[in-house]
Amino acid sequence: MSEAKAETAKPKRKRLDPGQREEEIVEGASLYFSEVGFGGSMRDLAARLGISHALLFRYFPTKEALVDRVYDRIFLSRWDPAWDALLDEHGLPLAERLVRFYRDYLNAIDRPEWVRTFVYAGLAGVNINQRYLNLIKRKVITPVAVELLRLAGRRDEKAVCDEAMELSWGLHGEIFYLAIRRWVYGIKVCPDLDEFVGLTVTKFLEGAPAALREKGGRMRAP
C-alpha cells in the first residue's frame, strides 16, 4: 500500500460482542438525546457512534425501543430500592426520612444527562416523563402527602386531598429545580447540597402541615 493510501485508510472499528455493542449504543444515545433532544435522528446517532444505520436498527428496530432503553438506563437504574424502605420507615421522624432520601436522590440525579434528557423528553412529548413521574407519585409524593395530613391532624379523611398532594409535589419540585438551574440554565447553585436539602425540608415541614391544618379548620368552621 502506498504512503498516500496508508494515510487515508480508516482504522477498522473494534468488533464487540452483541451485549457490549448494545450497551455502547444505549450509552451513546443517552448522551446524544441529552445534548440534541429527542428530535435527533437515528441516522445522525449512528454517525456519531461510528456505526452504520443498518447496524443501529439491527439492535433497535424503532426509535421508541431505543428510548425505552435510555429510560431504563438513565432513570430506572438510578432509583435505589433502599429508598422505598427508608420512606416507609415510620419509626424514624418524617424530617429525617425526607432529608436522607432527598440528599441521596439529588446526588443521583444532579447530572446533565439526567436533567437535560428529562427536560427534552417533556418538550418532545416522549413518554419518559409520564412514566417516571408516575413512579415518583407512587413512591414519594403520595406517601409524603399522607404524612402531611397526619401531621396536620386530618387523619379522618378517606382520600389524600389535592392540597396535600400539591404541597408534596412542591417539595419535590423545589429540590429538582436546583438541578434544572445548574444543567439547563447554567446558573451557579449553592455548593453545599446537603445543607440545601436540610433547609428545604425544614421549611416544608414548618409550613405545609400548618397550612393544611388551617385549611381543615376553615372547612370545619360553621
Side-chain angles (χ1 to χ4, degrees), residues 15-25 59-60 69:
R15 293 184 65 85
L16 300 175
D17 68 47
Q20 290 176 310
R21 178 68 74 197
E22 183 173 323
E23 182 61 24
E24 180 186 69
I25 291 172
Y59 284 89
F60 296 97
R69 282 295 307 279

Side-chain angles (χ1 to χ4, degrees), residues 64-205:
E64 290 74 19
L66 179 56
V67 169
D68 283 343
R69 282 295 307 279
V70 168
Y71 172 74
D72 290 342
R73 178 187 179 86
I74 295 182
F75 297 97
L76 287 189
S77 68
R78 293 193 187 281
W79 182 267
D80 187 344
W83 296 339
D84 297 322
L86 171 62
L87 290 170
D88 195 45
E89 180 50 74
H90 296 285
L92 294 175
L94 179 58
E96 182 178 345
R97 282 180 275 155
L98 289 177
V99 168
R100 285 171 55 183
F101 166 70
Y102 275 116
R103 282 175 176 172
D104 284 352
Y105 182 75
L106 186 56
N107 183 62
I109 70 164
D110 185 28
R111 54 203 70 213
E113 69 274 15
W114 199 105
V115 176
R116 292 176 61 85
T117 298
F118 189 85
V119 172
Y120 274 129
L123 293 173
V126 176
N127 71 352
I128 281 178
N129 297 71
Q130 192 62 47
R131 291 167 64 187
Y132 186 74
L133 289 176
N134 283 338
L135 178 148
I136 292 296
K137 180 180 179 180
R138 184 177 73 255
K139 292 178 176 288
V140 183
I141 305 305
T142 300
V144 172
V146 170
E147 295 268 12
L148 284 181
L149 289 173
R150 180 185 61 80
L151 291 174
R154 292 170 59 175
R155 305 183 187 185
D156 56 334
E157 301 195 14
K158 295 181 179 179
V160 181
C161 66
D162 291 341
E163 293 90 347
M165 291 292 288
E166 288 300 328
L167 289 168
S168 184
W169 276 117
L171 170 64
H172 191 83
E174 184 170 359
I175 289 174
F176 177 59
Y177 189 62
L178 179 139
I180 290 282
R181 284 188 287 129
R182 186 201 299 274
W183 300 116
V184 176
Y185 300 139
I187 297 174
K188 185 178 180 180
V189 300
C190 63
D192 192 338
L193 298 187
D194 285 353
E195 182 180 15
F196 162 75
V197 169
L199 290 171
T200 303
V201 168
T202 297
K203 179 186 69 172
F204 171 73
L205 291 179

